[in-house]
Amino acid sequence: MSLEFAPELLRYLQQCRKITVLTGAGVSAESGIPTFRDAQTGLWARFRPQELASPQAFTRNPAIVWDWYAYRRGLVAQAQPNPGHFALVKMERHVEKFTLITQNIDNLHQAAGSQNVIELHGNIAKVRCAECGTFATEWDDTTQKPPRCSECGGLLRPHVVWFGETLPQAELQAAVRATETCDAFFSIGTSGVVEPAASLPFVALKKKALVIEINLEPTPLTTAADYAFAAPSGQVLPELVRTVWG
Ligand code: BV8
Ligand code: ZN
């Protein structure tokens, strides 16, 4: 794919010292992980988010919620980073101060080699006790679902942020700081509906950073962004990184 990039965009990115990137499920789509809202493959096409990704759902139906995450953990375990993930690793190596804020819980940015990753919504590979918070490194969910905590007997749950749960404060503050101080802000593969992550690109706009969106479909950010590419991130990112940084 030979995309045309505006020369002023290329020149600006070449002299950027600080770049912050926000990613969503769209960057993992080309790794075969279904996104949330794509009707044909969206995980939530069959389930409504509040039915599963919420403390109420876990209280009401812990076994079903546990199984849904176990199923998704299986999908993630088979997935490999795609060229979009690797292009972000390359970008990080060329930029003095690079921060990658992700809403994804699939660990693919870290698997690709990204160093400075802020996980706003947790990580599906991590499991903790819903009662005492102890992390479990192993569990047996063949006899009991959810499995129980070895420390206190409480129910184990995925270490992800559910709807209605607050985001980890340290991560959120670091994400806001990296958004407020960057020269360029990329919003990639996110429908921009889940708060507070969806507000970050608008914070960048207010701070006069250059805002670039890469997303297959239009979002609330598209008309406000300085540049918007409606193309797969696994194709645009490698092309852009090669053109700007060689
Ligand atoms: C909070 C982890 C304070 C779990 C996720 C009423 C009651 C309670 C809360 C609320 C409420 N109303 C609003 C709220 C706030 C709520 C919220 O924003 N709701 C939305 C739905 C309106 N937010 C919260 O609850 C947050 N906590 O605010 O705490 C509080 C406390 C109490 C009460 C109020 C406030 C917690 C939010 C975190 C929820 N957890 N995930 C799990 O994964 O199961 S969110 C989930 O959505 C994922 O993290 C995901 O990353 C995130 C965002 O989705 P996207 O990543 O954008 O994915 P999506 O499929 O939507 O879009 C993909 C895009 O990529 C598409 O546009 C597609 O076109 C594009 N694409 C596809 N392929 C490609 C591509 N682009 C490029 N290339 C491709 N190849
Ligand atoms: Zn416990």
Side-chain angles (χ1 to χ4, degrees), residues 78-90:
Q78 294 155 18
Q80 295 299 324
N82 65 61
H85 292 105
F86 292 115
L88 290 173
V89 176
K90 201 173 156 192

Side-chain angles (χ1 to χ4, degrees), residues 70-242:
Y71 158 69
R72 290 172 62 192
R73 207 174 292 121
L75 291 180
V76 165
Q78 294 155 18
Q80 295 299 324
N82 65 61
H85 292 105
F86 292 115
L88 290 173
V89 176
K90 201 173 156 192
M91 189 190 289
E92 181 171 26
R93 291 187 182 138
H94 285 285
V95 172
E96 191 181 313
K97 182 96 185 70
F98 181 88
T99 305
L100 176 50
I101 305 163
T102 189
Q103 301 171 87
N104 299 340
I105 60 174
D106 57 30
N107 207 57
L108 286 181
H109 286 303
Q110 295 93 324
S114 288
Q115 296 301 304
N116 189 17
V117 180
I118 299 175
E119 290 180 315
L120 286 185
H121 296 160
N123 187 316
I124 199 166
K126 294 180 182 162
V127 166
R128 71 171 195 258
C129 173
E131 301 306 321
C132 70
T134 307
F135 280 90
T137 47
E138 57 196 7
W139 54 82
D140 168 13
D141 64 359
T142 52
T143 49
Q144 268 185 319
K145 280 184 194 177
R148 297 297 190 271
C149 165
S150 54
E151 297 298 311
C152 78
L155 294 183
L156 294 185
R157 59 162 283 177
H159 181 58
V160 300
V161 179
W162 281 329
F163 286 101
E165 293 188 320
T166 50
L167 275 60
Q169 288 313 299
E171 280 80 356
L172 184 55
Q173 279 157 17
V176 170
R177 216 173 15 259
T179 302
E180 289 179 333
T181 57
C182 65
D183 304 316
F185 185 97
F186 285 80
S187 180
I188 309 171
T190 179
S191 58
V193 297
V194 174
E195 294 298 349
S199 302
L200 292 173
F202 294 92
V203 169
L205 279 170
K206 240 193 357 266
K207 295 287 182 174
K208 303 286 174 249
L210 189 81
V211 174
I212 304 107
E213 181 181 55
I214 301 173
N215 201 67
L216 278 189
E217 66 185 3
T219 74
L221 176 66
T222 308
T223 50
D226 297 289
Y227 295 90
F229 299 95
S233 50
Q235 294 172 29
V236 173
L237 278 170
E239 185 102 13
L240 180 64
V241 171
R242 200 178 14 258

Side-chain angles (χ1 to χ4, degrees), residues 4 23 155:
E4 288 306 307
T23 62
L155 294 183

